[in-house]
Amino acid sequence: MDWSFQLYSARNFQPWPSVFDLLARLGYAQVEGFGDLYLNAAATRAALDRSGLSMPSGHFALGPLENDFPAARRIARTLGMRMIACPHIEAADRPVDAVGWRDFGLRLGRIGKQAEDAGLGFAWHNHEFEFAALADGSAPLTQILDAAPGIGWEIDVAWVIRGGDDPLTWIDRYGDRIAAAHIKDIAPAGAALDEDGWADVGYGNVDWTSLIAALRNKTAAEFFVMEHDNPGDLERFARRSIETAKTFEG
């Protein structure tokens, strides 16, 4: 099984070629991209090739996807991506009711159609706010996914939990829509405050045994992506997390 690594986790540990070499040495075969790496996609691709890494998936901001999808398509092709994901919507731009979130889902659906026409998969990546109940009792994520049946979902398990919900319930409900999973752990309450309360995978309180089994058996997930939003030590996080992941192989 190829484990991937979201390079946002390494944004504070430059230069990128050294990051790529470290990840390859630790046993990663894939990485997931984000905006900074697209400024010179050809140079990023060359550095990845030198390290023996591939970038089959990447995050693209909502604005560029809606306003200049051909540019995103060119970047994805240069880097060899098969799937792109939209990772966020700013708080000021978020809908406030079910109708608004459904309309937002329709916007994502239009992006998804362009991605499909380009031979790319497309998914929405969640944070915690998609699980806050709306006035009608529904969750924003339900409105998004139901309004856009042609797009996938990149589930960020830890953000589901921080949103106060159970990822296993959501996996049961939308497993066939899950195209990728972010594997991110949560530190015990009051711990790792200098790392925003996140933990290396396997060193927090997330039940990965049940979750990895569910992601494997109940979803269409192709990519399993290690992430930590603010690690204090990149090598420690990357090493310990893939060591944990390898215990689930076989």
Side-chain angles (χ1 to χ4, degrees):
M1 185 172 186
D2 290 335
W3 299 95
S4 188
F5 186 95
Q6 170 50 253
L7 290 170
Y8 182 78
S9 308
R11 67 196 181 281
N12 297 324
F13 301 91
Q14 299 303 297
W16 286 116
S18 296
V19 170
F20 299 160
D21 285 345
L22 170 66
L23 296 175
R25 186 166 67 251
L26 293 174
Y28 292 91
Q30 302 175 349
V31 293
E32 186 170 78
F34 76 105
D36 286 0
L37 291 146
Y38 307 152
L39 297 176
N40 189 335
T44 296
R45 176 63 184 267
L48 289 168
D49 288 347
R50 283 193 296 270
S51 296
L53 297 173
S54 65
M55 186 184 283
S57 65
H59 282 189
F60 288 79
L62 179 62
L65 287 173
E66 286 196 306
N67 299 325
D68 192 1
F69 187 86
R73 181 186 63 220
R74 289 192 296 271
I75 291 166
R77 285 178 173 168
T78 297
L79 290 165
M81 293 180 188
R82 301 194 300 275
M83 186 199 81
I84 60 176
C86 184
H88 196 250
I89 181 172
E90 295 294 336
D93 299 326
R94 291 172 198 162
V96 297
D97 57 22
V99 172
W101 281 109
R102 184 170 182 81
D103 287 345
F104 178 65
L106 294 174
R107 289 168 61 187
L108 294 177
R110 288 191 285 273
I111 297 170
K113 180 62 169 62
Q114 293 181 82
E116 181 182 6
D117 290 344
L120 294 165
F122 176 69
W124 173 253
H125 170 275
N126 69 274
H127 284 76
E128 84 288 7
F129 56 83
E130 295 96 326
F131 302 94
L134 300 168
D136 69 350
S138 68
L141 187 63
T142 298
Q143 298 297 335
I144 291 170
L145 294 178
D146 289 357
I151 72 170
W153 174 22
E154 181 176 59
I155 182 174
D156 188 309
V157 170
W159 277 123
V160 177
I161 296 169
R162 281 202 172 178
D165 223 318
D166 180 358
L168 291 173
T169 299
W170 284 89
I171 289 169
D172 284 341
R173 189 180 308 166
Y174 288 106
D176 61 340
R177 302 286 296 280
I178 295 175
H182 270 202
I183 309 302
K184 181 161 61 185
D185 217 329
I186 301 172
L193 297 182
D194 60 335
E195 296 186 312
D196 299 337
W198 303 112
D200 302 339
V201 176
Y203 290 80
N205 54 24
V206 175
D207 177 11
W208 288 112
T209 300
S210 298
L211 283 163
I212 293 294
L215 289 166
R216 278 180 163 175
N217 297 327
K218 297 182 178 182
T219 82
E222 183 178 2
F223 308 112
F224 294 81
V225 188
M226 304 297 171
E227 186 180 45
H228 188 309
D229 285 0
N230 188 28
D233 183 324
L234 175 63
E235 190 278 339
R236 183 212 70 212
F237 161 64
R239 173 179 49 78
R240 293 169 72 174
S241 296
I242 198 168
E243 287 173 353
T244 295
K246 287 183 178 297
T247 66
F248 297 113
E249 295 178 355

